[in-house]
Amino acid sequence: MNAPGQDGRPGRKHYQDHVQPWRAGEYLPLAYTESRINALAEWSYTLAPGG
């Protein structure tokens, strides 16, 4: 678990979302398959070479 959260930008939704589970000694499941990652993703980036 990445405490305090998954976003390094203060004020963002995921900046401190893992503090309470971390303090409680809880774990969060990790997605390992592409289909599960895509199902859980809130957004994604598509990178393309410049032209």
Side-chain angles (χ1 to χ4, degrees):
M1 181 183 301
N2 182 21
Q6 293 299 310
D7 194 325
R9 295 170 285 182
R12 296 287 299 241
K13 176 178 165 181
H14 295 291
Y15 182 68
Q16 294 182 352
D17 60 346
H18 291 175
V19 171
Q20 294 305 323
W22 177 78
R23 285 182 181 161
E26 298 172 0
Y27 294 94
L28 301 174
L30 292 176
Y32 286 104
T33 64
E34 183 177 1
S35 61
R36 185 69 176 137
I37 292 167
N38 289 336
L40 295 171
E42 294 180 15
W43 47 264
S44 66
Y45 288 108
T46 300
L47 303 177

